[in-house]
Amino acid sequence: MSLFSPVSGLVGGSLIGLSAATLLLGNGEVLGCSGILSSTMLNPLQAFSSENKWKLVFMSSFLVTSSLYNSFVTESDEYYALELAKIQPSSNIPFVSDIGYVIAGFLVGFGTRLGNGCTSGHGICGLARLSKRSFAAVMTFMATGIATASLCPTDSFLRDVPDSSMFPNESSSVVGKCITALLAVTILPLILKKFKNKIPSTSNANEEANDNKKVIVGALAAAIFSVGLVISGMVKQYKVFGFLDVKRMATGTWDGTLAFVMGGGVVVSAAGYHWVKGYNYFGNEKALSCPPLLDQSCSKFNVPSNTVIDLQLLLGSAMFGVGWGLGGLCPGPALFAAASGYPKVMYYWWPANLVGVFLAKQAQKLF
């Protein structure tokens, strides 16, 4: 049975592209999900600094949106029963074992940090601006992801039989909601600060005003991103495995939804870059040199300018692809799963991911 859903994939992907365009034109920032999440989690104190607080708000808004969706849509035995029916052993869709989650999380963390990007940063944003470096990264992690998902035996120690333990239970759901609530309470003062009286017009005051505006845009972009992931189906691992496992083409069960997600996301994201000076495709006299919502005296578009395709990029992208192919998760969907209370993602994938990010940060010194 094929689970191909091109319409929802295209709509969801377009929303992901809209999130990237919103963050770009509103904040001048690139939607690099792995970078935003890893920098916030590994340096929580730095995340409270004026110039970085939008990242903390982005992460919090994503968690809140994901939690609200789950509260109203997925938290029912009927929903999980239907999901389980889709991935029973007869459907030949793999389920990740505990050790598989650990290895996958580590490789995704190490690889995205070393290669400076994942499906959002290199894929949705990098391809949209025709970056040769991102093109090389996408081709690399797609190749290793497809190879890993297609060649990994279903009876290996990395795979398991799907059962109800893969879904949230009462305790894990509470943990997910507590984390979400804690972050929501933490960022509330940051959001409320936006609505305080205007600060006198000085250079530092203008920078602080820009940082406060970035908070609101970051929250909006994160909410759109979360909804886009849900509609596209990319929060469901079996959708990712359905695409990466090309052996399914022989049985007519290959799921090409991911191609529509990437296509829609890249096109809409590219429309955003068309308004950024130096990245417009057909010439645009009204192209912007800085985000229109921010004070022009102290703002700019922070678009990566590195064009070098080196060993660090290719090795990191390859490792990310292997982890993606093993676990069916990249950072955005994994954060959604954590907010939803999926226990094995919370307790195995994320801790291993953060270890991988930390070690990759040290390994970058060798390149």
mmCIF file of all heavy atoms in Angstrom, residues 83-134:
data_model
loop_
_atom_site.group_PDB
_atom_site.id
_atom_site.type_symbol
_atom_site.label_atom_id
_atom_site.label_comp_id
_atom_site.label_asym_id
_atom_site.label_seq_id
_atom_site.Cartn_x
_atom_site.Cartn_y
_atom_site.Cartn_z
ATOM 1 N N GLU A 83 -2.674 5.063 13.143
ATOM 2 C CA GLU A 83 -1.276 5.209 12.757
ATOM 3 C C GLU A 83 -0.550 3.871 12.822
ATOM 4 O O GLU A 83 0.237 3.526 11.945
ATOM 5 C CB GLU A 83 -0.576 6.226 13.671
ATOM 6 C CG GLU A 83 -1.016 7.655 13.446
ATOM 7 C CD GLU A 83 -0.610 8.159 12.077
ATOM 8 O OE1 GLU A 83 0.591 8.375 11.848
ATOM 9 O OE2 GLU A 83 -1.506 8.330 11.226
ATOM 10 N N LEU A 84 -0.820 3.110 13.879
ATOM 11 C CA LEU A 84 -0.171 1.819 14.040
ATOM 12 C C LEU A 84 -0.575 0.869 12.926
ATOM 13 O O LEU A 84 0.239 0.082 12.420
ATOM 14 C CB LEU A 84 -0.514 1.213 15.404
ATOM 15 C CG LEU A 84 0.179 -0.107 15.767
ATOM 16 C CD1 LEU A 84 1.678 0.057 15.715
ATOM 17 C CD2 LEU A 84 -0.277 -0.588 17.134
ATOM 18 N N ALA A 85 -1.830 0.944 12.511
ATOM 19 C CA ALA A 85 -2.315 0.069 11.435
ATOM 20 C C ALA A 85 -1.562 0.325 10.131
ATOM 21 O O ALA A 85 -1.389 -0.581 9.319
ATOM 22 C CB ALA A 85 -3.812 0.285 11.231
ATOM 23 N N LYS A 86 -1.101 1.554 9.938
ATOM 24 C CA LYS A 86 -0.389 1.897 8.705
ATOM 25 C C LYS A 86 1.006 1.294 8.655
ATOM 26 O O LYS A 86 1.578 1.131 7.583
ATOM 27 C CB LYS A 86 -0.285 3.419 8.569
ATOM 28 C CG LYS A 86 -1.611 4.127 8.360
ATOM 29 C CD LYS A 86 -1.387 5.631 8.282
ATOM 30 C CE LYS A 86 -2.691 6.380 8.126
ATOM 31 N NZ LYS A 86 -2.490 7.848 8.089
ATOM 32 N N ILE A 87 1.564 1.006 9.814
ATOM 33 C CA ILE A 87 2.958 0.566 9.838
ATOM 34 C C ILE A 87 3.120 -0.807 10.468
ATOM 35 O O ILE A 87 4.164 -1.128 11.031
ATOM 36 C CB ILE A 87 3.824 1.587 10.586
ATOM 37 C CG1 ILE A 87 3.238 1.882 11.956
ATOM 38 C CG2 ILE A 87 3.965 2.854 9.806
ATOM 39 C CD1 ILE A 87 4.108 2.792 12.786
ATOM 40 N N GLN A 88 2.078 -1.608 10.399
ATOM 41 C CA GLN A 88 2.201 -2.982 10.865
ATOM 42 C C GLN A 88 3.232 -3.723 10.015
ATOM 43 O O GLN A 88 3.542 -3.307 8.890
ATOM 44 C CB GLN A 88 0.847 -3.695 10.788
ATOM 45 C CG GLN A 88 -0.168 -3.216 11.809
ATOM 46 C CD GLN A 88 0.236 -3.545 13.244
ATOM 47 O OE1 GLN A 88 1.116 -4.353 13.468
ATOM 48 N NE2 GLN A 88 -0.408 -2.890 14.200
ATOM 49 N N PRO A 89 3.797 -4.812 10.522
ATOM 50 C CA PRO A 89 4.827 -5.533 9.769
ATOM 51 C C PRO A 89 4.416 -5.876 8.342
ATOM 52 O O PRO A 89 5.249 -5.933 7.447
ATOM 53 C CB PRO A 89 5.029 -6.805 10.607
ATOM 54 C CG PRO A 89 4.691 -6.378 11.999
ATOM 55 C CD PRO A 89 3.577 -5.394 11.863
ATOM 56 N N SER A 90 3.153 -6.070 8.097
ATOM 57 C CA SER A 90 2.694 -6.420 6.747
ATOM 58 C C SER A 90 2.942 -5.302 5.743
ATOM 59 O O SER A 90 3.021 -5.519 4.545
ATOM 60 C CB SER A 90 1.195 -6.754 6.781
ATOM 61 O OG SER A 90 0.454 -5.643 7.257
ATOM 62 N N SER A 91 3.070 -4.056 6.244
ATOM 63 C CA SER A 91 3.298 -2.936 5.345
ATOM 64 C C SER A 91 4.772 -2.778 4.989
ATOM 65 O O SER A 91 5.127 -1.984 4.125
ATOM 66 C CB SER A 91 2.806 -1.642 5.994
ATOM 67 O OG SER A 91 3.612 -1.324 7.129
ATOM 68 N N ASN A 92 5.642 -3.540 5.676
ATOM 69 C CA ASN A 92 7.081 -3.539 5.396
ATOM 70 C C ASN A 92 7.728 -2.174 5.650
ATOM 71 O O ASN A 92 8.760 -1.862 5.078
ATOM 72 C CB ASN A 92 7.357 -3.997 3.957
ATOM 73 C CG ASN A 92 8.782 -4.511 3.797
ATOM 74 O OD1 ASN A 92 9.349 -5.074 4.722
ATOM 75 N ND2 ASN A 92 9.346 -4.304 2.618
ATOM 76 N N ILE A 93 7.119 -1.351 6.483
ATOM 77 C CA ILE A 93 7.730 -0.086 6.877
ATOM 78 C C ILE A 93 8.481 -0.310 8.183
ATOM 79 O O ILE A 93 7.932 -0.856 9.136
ATOM 80 C CB ILE A 93 6.662 1.011 7.053
ATOM 81 C CG1 ILE A 93 6.012 1.311 5.702
ATOM 82 C CG2 ILE A 93 7.268 2.282 7.640
ATOM 83 C CD1 ILE A 93 4.886 2.311 5.771
ATOM 84 N N PRO A 94 9.769 0.087 8.257
ATOM 85 C CA PRO A 94 10.581 -0.235 9.433
ATOM 86 C C PRO A 94 10.224 0.593 10.651
ATOM 87 O O PRO A 94 9.701 1.702 10.548
ATOM 88 C CB PRO A 94 12.001 0.081 8.963
ATOM 89 C CG PRO A 94 11.817 1.146 7.937
ATOM 90 C CD PRO A 94 10.532 0.807 7.233
ATOM 91 N N PHE A 95 10.531 0.041 11.799
ATOM 92 C CA PHE A 95 10.417 0.746 13.067
ATOM 93 C C PHE A 95 11.793 0.744 13.705
ATOM 94 O O PHE A 95 12.492 -0.268 13.713
ATOM 95 C CB PHE A 95 9.387 0.057 13.965
ATOM 96 C CG PHE A 95 9.294 0.644 15.345
ATOM 97 C CD1 PHE A 95 9.124 1.991 15.532
ATOM 98 C CD2 PHE A 95 9.378 -0.180 16.464
ATOM 99 C CE1 PHE A 95 9.044 2.535 16.804
ATOM 100 C CE2 PHE A 95 9.291 0.344 17.738
ATOM 101 C CZ PHE A 95 9.120 1.714 17.901
ATOM 102 N N VAL A 96 12.209 1.866 14.233
ATOM 103 C CA VAL A 96 13.569 2.036 14.745
ATOM 104 C C VAL A 96 13.690 1.450 16.147
ATOM 105 O O VAL A 96 12.837 1.674 17.008
ATOM 106 C CB VAL A 96 13.949 3.533 14.762
ATOM 107 C CG1 VAL A 96 15.409 3.710 15.158
ATOM 108 C CG2 VAL A 96 13.690 4.165 13.394
ATOM 109 N N SER A 97 14.762 0.707 16.380
ATOM 110 C CA SER A 97 15.019 0.144 17.705
ATOM 111 C C SER A 97 15.603 1.214 18.617
ATOM 112 O O SER A 97 15.961 2.316 18.182
ATOM 113 C CB SER A 97 16.004 -1.026 17.591
ATOM 114 O OG SER A 97 17.282 -0.558 17.176
ATOM 115 N N ASP A 98 15.742 0.883 19.894
ATOM 116 C CA ASP A 98 16.290 1.833 20.854
ATOM 117 C C ASP A 98 17.709 2.247 20.481
ATOM 118 O O ASP A 98 18.036 3.435 20.458
ATOM 119 C CB ASP A 98 16.286 1.222 22.263
ATOM 120 C CG ASP A 98 14.876 0.975 22.783
ATOM 121 O OD1 ASP A 98 13.918 1.425 22.124
ATOM 122 O OD2 ASP A 98 14.742 0.337 23.852
ATOM 123 N N ILE A 99 18.553 1.261 20.179
ATOM 124 C CA ILE A 99 19.932 1.577 19.787
ATOM 125 C C ILE A 99 19.952 2.304 18.455
ATOM 126 O O ILE A 99 20.812 3.155 18.204
ATOM 127 C CB ILE A 99 20.795 0.287 19.735
ATOM 128 C CG1 ILE A 99 22.262 0.629 19.506
ATOM 129 C CG2 ILE A 99 20.289 -0.652 18.662
ATOM 130 C CD1 ILE A 99 22.895 1.445 20.600
ATOM 131 N N GLY A 100 18.982 2.011 17.611
ATOM 132 C CA GLY A 100 18.872 2.716 16.338
ATOM 133 C C GLY A 100 18.608 4.201 16.544
ATOM 134 O O GLY A 100 19.177 5.055 15.847
ATOM 135 N N TYR A 101 17.749 4.526 17.505
ATOM 136 C CA TYR A 101 17.478 5.928 17.822
ATOM 137 C C TYR A 101 18.739 6.625 18.331
ATOM 138 O O TYR A 101 19.007 7.785 17.982
ATOM 139 C CB TYR A 101 16.372 6.038 18.867
ATOM 140 C CG TYR A 101 14.977 6.057 18.294
ATOM 141 C CD1 TYR A 101 14.098 5.000 18.516
ATOM 142 C CD2 TYR A 101 14.543 7.133 17.529
ATOM 143 C CE1 TYR A 101 12.813 5.014 17.991
ATOM 144 C CE2 TYR A 101 13.262 7.158 17.000
ATOM 145 C CZ TYR A 101 12.399 6.100 17.231
ATOM 146 O OH TYR A 101 11.142 6.111 16.704
ATOM 147 N N VAL A 102 19.506 5.941 19.166
ATOM 148 C CA VAL A 102 20.721 6.528 19.719
ATOM 149 C C VAL A 102 21.721 6.833 18.610
ATOM 150 O O VAL A 102 22.266 7.950 18.517
ATOM 151 C CB VAL A 102 21.347 5.596 20.773
ATOM 152 C CG1 VAL A 102 22.720 6.118 21.206
ATOM 153 C CG2 VAL A 102 20.422 5.452 21.977
ATOM 154 N N ILE A 103 21.964 5.844 17.753
ATOM 155 C CA ILE A 103 22.940 6.024 16.672
ATOM 156 C C ILE A 103 22.464 7.084 15.684
ATOM 157 O O ILE A 103 23.230 7.949 15.252
ATOM 158 C CB ILE A 103 23.198 4.683 15.963
ATOM 159 C CG1 ILE A 103 23.848 3.693 16.931
ATOM 160 C CG2 ILE A 103 24.076 4.885 14.732
ATOM 161 C CD1 ILE A 103 24.029 2.294 16.360
ATOM 162 N N ALA A 104 21.185 7.023 15.336
ATOM 163 C CA ALA A 104 20.629 7.995 14.390
ATOM 164 C C ALA A 104 20.705 9.415 14.935
ATOM 165 O O ALA A 104 21.113 10.351 14.234
ATOM 166 C CB ALA A 104 19.186 7.634 14.058
ATOM 167 N N GLY A 105 20.320 9.597 16.193
ATOM 168 C CA GLY A 105 20.368 10.920 16.799
ATOM 169 C C GLY A 105 21.778 11.482 16.831
ATOM 170 O O GLY A 105 22.004 12.663 16.539
ATOM 171 N N PHE A 106 22.738 10.617 17.189
ATOM 172 C CA PHE A 106 24.133 11.048 17.243
ATOM 173 C C PHE A 106 24.627 11.485 15.864
ATOM 174 O O PHE A 106 25.247 12.552 15.718
ATOM 175 C CB PHE A 106 25.021 9.928 17.773
ATOM 176 C CG PHE A 106 26.485 10.267 17.778
ATOM 177 C CD1 PHE A 106 27.033 10.987 18.830
ATOM 178 C CD2 PHE A 106 27.304 9.891 16.726
ATOM 179 C CE1 PHE A 106 28.384 11.319 18.833
ATOM 180 C CE2 PHE A 106 28.653 10.226 16.711
ATOM 181 C CZ PHE A 106 29.195 10.935 17.770
ATOM 182 N N LEU A 107 24.358 10.675 14.856
ATOM 183 C CA LEU A 107 24.837 10.984 13.508
ATOM 184 C C LEU A 107 24.196 12.254 12.949
ATOM 185 O O LEU A 107 24.857 13.054 12.285
ATOM 186 C CB LEU A 107 24.563 9.805 12.577
ATOM 187 C CG LEU A 107 25.414 8.552 12.812
ATOM 188 C CD1 LEU A 107 24.936 7.412 11.920
ATOM 189 C CD2 LEU A 107 26.889 8.854 12.550
ATOM 190 N N VAL A 108 22.908 12.436 13.219
ATOM 191 C CA VAL A 108 22.237 13.658 12.756
ATOM 192 C C VAL A 108 22.834 14.885 13.445
ATOM 193 O O VAL A 108 23.101 15.911 12.806
ATOM 194 C CB VAL A 108 20.716 13.580 12.999
ATOM 195 C CG1 VAL A 108 20.060 14.943 12.761
ATOM 196 C CG2 VAL A 108 20.086 12.537 12.091
ATOM 197 N N GLY A 109 23.059 14.794 14.755
ATOM 198 C CA GLY A 109 23.649 15.911 15.482
ATOM 199 C C GLY A 109 25.057 16.225 15.015
ATOM 200 O O GLY A 109 25.388 17.387 14.732
ATOM 201 N N PHE A 110 25.880 15.196 14.918
ATOM 202 C CA PHE A 110 27.277 15.385 14.498
ATOM 203 C C PHE A 110 27.329 15.897 13.059
ATOM 204 O O PHE A 110 28.053 16.841 12.739
ATOM 205 C CB PHE A 110 28.038 14.070 14.619
ATOM 206 C CG PHE A 110 29.536 14.224 14.571
ATOM 207 C CD1 PHE A 110 30.282 14.199 15.741
ATOM 208 C CD2 PHE A 110 30.200 14.394 13.362
ATOM 209 C CE1 PHE A 110 31.656 14.342 15.708
ATOM 210 C CE2 PHE A 110 31.576 14.538 13.315
ATOM 211 C CZ PHE A 110 32.317 14.517 14.486
ATOM 212 N N GLY A 111 26.526 15.267 12.201
ATOM 213 C CA GLY A 111 26.572 15.605 10.783
ATOM 214 C C GLY A 111 26.065 16.998 10.471
ATOM 215 O O GLY A 111 26.667 17.734 9.679
ATOM 216 N N THR A 112 24.939 17.394 11.085
ATOM 217 C CA THR A 112 24.396 18.727 10.800
ATOM 218 C C THR A 112 25.305 19.825 11.336
ATOM 219 O O THR A 112 25.410 20.894 10.734
ATOM 220 C CB THR A 112 22.988 18.896 11.399
ATOM 221 O OG1 THR A 112 23.009 18.580 12.801
ATOM 222 C CG2 THR A 112 21.994 17.990 10.695
ATOM 223 N N ARG A 113 25.957 19.564 12.447
ATOM 224 C CA ARG A 113 26.884 20.569 12.989
ATOM 225 C C ARG A 113 28.135 20.666 12.116
ATOM 226 O O ARG A 113 28.596 21.758 11.777
ATOM 227 C CB ARG A 113 27.275 20.203 14.423
ATOM 228 C CG ARG A 113 28.244 21.178 15.075
ATOM 229 C CD ARG A 113 27.565 22.487 15.417
ATOM 230 N NE ARG A 113 28.499 23.472 15.936
ATOM 231 C CZ ARG A 113 28.136 24.547 16.620
ATOM 232 N NH1 ARG A 113 26.856 24.767 16.869
ATOM 233 N NH2 ARG A 113 29.032 25.417 17.037
ATOM 234 N N LEU A 114 28.672 19.516 11.722
ATOM 235 C CA LEU A 114 29.892 19.504 10.916
ATOM 236 C C LEU A 114 29.624 20.069 9.520
ATOM 237 O O LEU A 114 30.433 20.816 8.972
ATOM 238 C CB LEU A 114 30.436 18.078 10.812
ATOM 239 C CG LEU A 114 31.865 17.931 10.272
ATOM 240 C CD1 LEU A 114 32.870 18.561 11.236
ATOM 241 C CD2 LEU A 114 32.205 16.450 10.063
ATOM 242 N N GLY A 115 28.467 19.712 8.957
ATOM 243 C CA GLY A 115 28.135 20.164 7.612
ATOM 244 C C GLY A 115 27.357 21.463 7.574
ATOM 245 O O GLY A 115 26.993 21.941 6.488
ATOM 246 N N ASN A 116 27.087 22.031 8.744
ATOM 247 C CA ASN A 116 26.407 23.334 8.851
ATOM 248 C C ASN A 116 25.055 23.373 8.138
ATOM 249 O O ASN A 116 24.752 24.327 7.415
ATOM 250 C CB ASN A 116 27.305 24.450 8.291
ATOM 251 C CG ASN A 116 28.541 24.686 9.130
ATOM 252 O OD1 ASN A 116 28.447 24.801 10.349
ATOM 253 N ND2 ASN A 116 29.685 24.717 8.490
ATOM 254 N N GLY A 117 24.221 22.358 8.376
ATOM 255 C CA GLY A 117 22.887 22.428 7.793
ATOM 256 C C GLY A 117 22.219 21.082 7.665
ATOM 257 O O GLY A 117 22.854 20.032 7.796
ATOM 258 N N CYS A 118 20.918 21.129 7.394
ATOM 259 C CA CYS A 118 20.129 19.903 7.215
ATOM 260 C C CYS A 118 19.148 20.124 6.068
ATOM 261 O O CYS A 118 19.426 20.875 5.141
ATOM 262 C CB CYS A 118 19.406 19.539 8.510
ATOM 263 S SG CYS A 118 18.302 20.839 9.129
ATOM 264 N N THR A 119 17.983 19.487 6.133
ATOM 265 C CA THR A 119 17.010 19.594 5.045
ATOM 266 C C THR A 119 16.423 20.996 4.932
ATOM 267 O O THR A 119 15.988 21.400 3.850
ATOM 268 C CB THR A 119 15.864 18.592 5.252
ATOM 269 O OG1 THR A 119 15.340 18.734 6.581
ATOM 270 C CG2 THR A 119 16.355 17.164 5.070
ATOM 271 N N SER A 120 16.398 21.748 6.019
ATOM 272 C CA SER A 120 15.850 23.110 5.959
ATOM 273 C C SER A 120 16.918 24.112 5.524
ATOM 274 O O SER A 120 16.723 24.877 4.580
ATOM 275 C CB SER A 120 15.257 23.508 7.316
ATOM 276 O OG SER A 120 16.236 23.447 8.341
ATOM 277 N N GLY A 121 18.056 24.132 6.209
ATOM 278 C CA GLY A 121 19.096 25.105 5.897
ATOM 279 C C GLY A 121 19.693 24.921 4.519
ATOM 280 O O GLY A 121 19.762 25.861 3.717
ATOM 281 N N HIS A 122 20.157 23.701 4.215
ATOM 282 C CA HIS A 122 20.735 23.427 2.903
ATOM 283 C C HIS A 122 19.653 23.179 1.851
ATOM 284 O O HIS A 122 19.784 23.600 0.702
ATOM 285 C CB HIS A 122 21.652 22.207 2.969
ATOM 286 C CG HIS A 122 23.012 22.499 3.535
ATOM 287 N ND1 HIS A 122 23.785 23.550 3.104
ATOM 288 C CD2 HIS A 122 23.742 21.862 4.497
ATOM 289 C CE1 HIS A 122 24.936 23.572 3.770
ATOM 290 N NE2 HIS A 122 24.927 22.560 4.628
ATOM 291 N N GLY A 123 18.573 22.501 2.262
ATOM 292 C CA GLY A 123 17.542 22.124 1.303
ATOM 293 C C GLY A 123 16.617 23.265 0.939
ATOM 294 O O GLY A 123 16.687 23.828 -0.163
ATOM 295 N N ILE A 124 15.742 23.640 1.855
ATOM 296 C CA ILE A 124 14.730 24.657 1.573
ATOM 297 C C ILE A 124 15.350 26.024 1.299
ATOM 298 O O ILE A 124 14.913 26.751 0.396
ATOM 299 C CB ILE A 124 13.740 24.769 2.750
ATOM 300 C CG1 ILE A 124 13.026 23.429 2.985
ATOM 301 C CG2 ILE A 124 12.713 25.869 2.485
ATOM 302 C CD1 ILE A 124 12.203 22.944 1.828
ATOM 303 N N CYS A 125 16.376 26.400 2.060
ATOM 304 C CA CYS A 125 16.971 27.733 1.914
ATOM 305 C C CYS A 125 18.138 27.750 0.931
ATOM 306 O O CYS A 125 18.233 28.645 0.083
ATOM 307 C CB CYS A 125 17.440 28.250 3.270
ATOM 308 S SG CYS A 125 16.099 28.452 4.473
ATOM 309 N N GLY A 126 19.045 26.792 1.043
ATOM 310 C CA GLY A 126 20.226 26.789 0.182
ATOM 311 C C GLY A 126 19.894 26.591 -1.288
ATOM 312 O O GLY A 126 20.410 27.308 -2.155
ATOM 313 N N LEU A 127 19.034 25.625 -1.587
ATOM 314 C CA LEU A 127 18.651 25.403 -2.979
ATOM 315 C C LEU A 127 17.882 26.594 -3.536
ATOM 316 O O LEU A 127 17.983 26.911 -4.723
ATOM 317 C CB LEU A 127 17.801 24.132 -3.100
ATOM 318 C CG LEU A 127 18.482 22.808 -2.750
ATOM 319 C CD1 LEU A 127 17.531 21.640 -2.988
ATOM 320 C CD2 LEU A 127 19.767 22.618 -3.553
ATOM 321 N N ALA A 128 17.110 27.261 -2.679
ATOM 322 C CA ALA A 128 16.314 28.408 -3.128
ATOM 323 C C ALA A 128 17.185 29.558 -3.604
ATOM 324 O O ALA A 128 16.788 30.323 -4.485
ATOM 325 C CB ALA A 128 15.395 28.877 -2.001
ATOM 326 N N ARG A 129 18.369 29.695 -3.046
ATOM 327 C CA ARG A 129 19.267 30.780 -3.461
ATOM 328 C C ARG A 129 20.356 30.273 -4.408
ATOM 329 O O ARG A 129 21.351 30.964 -4.658
ATOM 330 C CB ARG A 129 19.882 31.482 -2.256
ATOM 331 C CG ARG A 129 20.778 30.632 -1.382
ATOM 332 C CD ARG A 129 21.395 31.476 -0.257
ATOM 333 N NE ARG A 129 22.352 30.709 0.516
ATOM 334 C CZ ARG A 129 22.055 29.996 1.589
ATOM 335 N NH1 ARG A 129 20.808 29.960 2.026
ATOM 336 N NH2 ARG A 129 22.998 29.314 2.229
ATOM 337 N N LEU A 130 20.169 29.044 -4.922
ATOM 338 C CA LEU A 130 21.075 28.445 -5.912
ATOM 339 C C LEU A 130 22.505 28.326 -5.391
ATOM 340 O O LEU A 130 23.474 28.559 -6.124
ATOM 341 C CB LEU A 130 21.058 29.250 -7.213
ATOM 342 C CG LEU A 130 19.690 29.408 -7.893
ATOM 343 C CD1 LEU A 130 19.828 30.203 -9.182
ATOM 344 C CD2 LEU A 130 19.052 28.068 -8.164
ATOM 345 N N SER A 131 22.636 27.944 -4.125
ATOM 346 C CA SER A 131 23.954 27.766 -3.527
ATOM 347 C C SER A 131 24.573 26.444 -3.980
ATOM 348 O O SER A 131 23.990 25.369 -3.770
ATOM 349 C CB SER A 131 23.830 27.782 -1.990
ATOM 350 O OG SER A 131 25.006 27.301 -1.385
ATOM 351 N N LYS A 132 25.733 26.526 -4.601
ATOM 352 C CA LYS A 132 26.424 25.307 -5.036
ATOM 353 C C LYS A 132 26.826 24.459 -3.838
ATOM 354 O O LYS A 132 26.799 23.221 -3.894
ATOM 355 C CB LYS A 132 27.657 25.673 -5.867
ATOM 356 C CG LYS A 132 27.335 26.362 -7.182
ATOM 357 C CD LYS A 132 28.608 26.707 -7.947
ATOM 358 C CE LYS A 132 28.282 27.408 -9.267
ATOM 359 N NZ LYS A 132 29.524 27.782 -10.007
ATOM 360 N N ARG A 133 27.186 25.103 -2.769
ATOM 361 C CA ARG A 133 27.579 24.393 -1.550
ATOM 362 C C ARG A 133 26.387 23.605 -0.997
ATOM 363 O O ARG A 133 26.532 22.427 -0.627
ATOM 364 C CB ARG A 133 28.087 25.413 -0.532
ATOM 365 C CG ARG A 133 28.494 24.847 0.814
ATOM 366 C CD ARG A 133 29.040 25.972 1.697
ATOM 367 N NE ARG A 133 29.134 25.546 3.081
ATOM 368 C CZ ARG A 133 30.173 24.898 3.601
ATOM 369 N NH1 ARG A 133 31.200 24.594 2.837
ATOM 370 N NH2 ARG A 133 30.192 24.570 4.874
ATOM 371 N N SER A 134 25.223 24.235 -0.955
ATOM 372 C CA SER A 134 24.034 23.547 -0.461
ATOM 373 C C SER A 134 23.603 22.439 -1.426
ATOM 374 O O SER A 134 23.122 21.385 -0.998
ATOM 375 C CB SER A 134 22.885 24.540 -0.269
ATOM 376 O OG SER A 134 23.126 25.372 0.851
#
